[in-house]
Amino acid sequence: MITKRIIPCLDVKDGRVVKGKNFLGLNDVSSPVELAKFYNECGADELVFYDITASAEGRALFTDILKEVASTIFIPLTVGGGINSLDDFDRVLKCGADKVSVNSGAIRNPALIGEAAKRYGDQCVVLSADIKRVDGSFRLFAKGGRVDTGLDGIEWIRRCVENGAGEVVVNSIDTDGVKNGFDLEMLEAVCKVVSVPVIASGGAGCSKHFTELFNALPNVDAGLAASIFHYRELQITDLKRELKENGIPVRI
């Protein structure tokens, strides 16, 4: 049986890890290097590193901090932010990333996903989709949740997977930082249209929310969270122990 993954997320701005609510009101948390070391040692299955303002500021991802993070951990590292070309893929992979997450860059150039999958393999290409409800539909947003693209989020994910994305991170703007649980309705809609691994992001507030996620949606492969791990509200070792006690397969 495939184990479920628990993935902390480092949202990095100006060289520091930050966290907000509904993608707004960012507060300083810690050093990305120190947090990465902590998660490497406390049972995280993978780590996600997002340079969250790279796309909005129209610049390349900060590679100096990324190199330092990559050199201190021994778990898979997914990196995103300002990924607009194959050169960007190449740059972050050479900095130590195992997978590359693309969001706004793929919206600007949908061919990027297929090109990257062809060069580096589907398993290297992660689609990150920021989705919010607008007039009852799941709408895709760009540039860190700042811009409504007008595109249907679920259809966008389906097309990108068809073009070569090997994994999908579904970021629910509605539940981000709210801590009332994952967006099960949105995640179920995604799981119905893709067969690649789906990572749930946005809304985790306690261990019960992870149990609910994996029990309600067995096709979801991983739960991603930030603030509850950053602020030590929930220890990953305790979470995994509880998941295992509830019959959910995890790597201890």
Side-chain angles (χ1 to χ4, degrees):
M1 187 178 289
I2 297 175
T3 57
K4 302 300 185 183
R5 291 173 287 154
I6 302 301
I7 306 175
C9 177
L10 307 182
D11 291 327
V12 180
K13 181 178 185 290
D14 300 328
R16 297 284 295 177
V17 176
V18 296
K19 193 69 191 83
K21 183 175 178 181
N22 304 126
F23 282 35
L24 300 171
L26 300 176
N27 296 307
D28 184 85
V29 177
S30 183
S31 152
V33 177
E34 290 305 312
L35 269 184
K37 287 179 183 176
F38 171 74
Y39 290 131
N40 182 72
E41 294 165 358
C42 74
D45 295 297
E46 296 184 18
L47 187 66
V48 168
F49 178 112
Y50 287 142
D51 185 338
I52 60 169
T53 56
S55 290
E57 294 171 2
R59 59 169 171 78
L61 183 143
F62 291 125
T63 52
D64 52 346
I65 298 168
L66 172 57
K67 285 179 182 177
E68 199 173 349
V69 167
S71 69
T72 61
I73 65 173
F74 301 96
I75 54 177
L77 174 64
T78 297
V79 177
I83 306 298
N84 296 298
S85 66
L86 291 181
D87 285 344
D88 291 327
F89 269 81
D90 195 56
R91 189 162 48 86
V92 298
L93 289 170
K94 285 178 178 174
C95 286
D98 298 284
K99 294 182 280 189
V100 181
S101 175
V102 62
N103 189 329
S104 295
I107 296 170
R108 278 189 293 272
N109 175 22
L112 177 60
I113 285 177
E115 293 167 358
K118 188 174 181 180
R119 178 176 293 187
Y120 302 108
D122 293 10
Q123 79 289 340
C124 179
V125 183
V126 180
L127 173 70
S128 178
D130 299 334
I131 304 178
K132 182 179 181 179
R133 288 168 179 78
V134 177
D135 297 328
S137 65
F138 294 123
R139 196 75 62 81
L140 179 71
F141 278 67
K143 295 190 176 180
R146 295 171 179 82
V147 178
D148 184 350
T149 66
L151 296 171
D152 180 275
I154 309 303
E155 175 59 19
W156 168 251
I157 290 172
R158 187 196 66 76
R159 285 199 346 249
C160 289
V161 169
E162 196 174 79
N163 290 338
E167 189 168 82
V168 178
V169 178
V170 184
N171 306 301
S172 171
I173 298 175
D174 295 318
T175 62
D176 175 69
V178 178
K179 299 184 180 181
N180 286 334
F182 290 98
D183 197 327
L184 301 182
E185 181 188 23
M186 182 183 294
L187 291 161
E188 182 177 22
V190 172
C191 288
K192 284 180 178 177
V193 299
V194 302
S195 56
V196 300
V198 172
I199 299 172
S201 172
C206 61
S207 57
K208 184 180 77 169
H209 292 151
F210 288 87
T211 305
E212 290 172 347
L213 169 70
F214 295 129
N215 280 333
L217 300 172
N219 289 336
V220 168
D221 290 77
L224 181 150
S227 55
I228 60 165
F229 296 146
H230 296 344
Y231 296 122
R232 312 292 198 267
E233 296 167 20
L234 178 62
Q235 298 287 348
I236 291 176
T237 49
D238 295 337
L239 169 59
K240 286 190 168 185
R241 192 178 305 114
E242 186 169 328
L243 289 171
K244 191 171 184 180
E245 288 171 358
N246 281 276
I248 295 165
V250 291
R251 179 183 66 85
I252 300 293

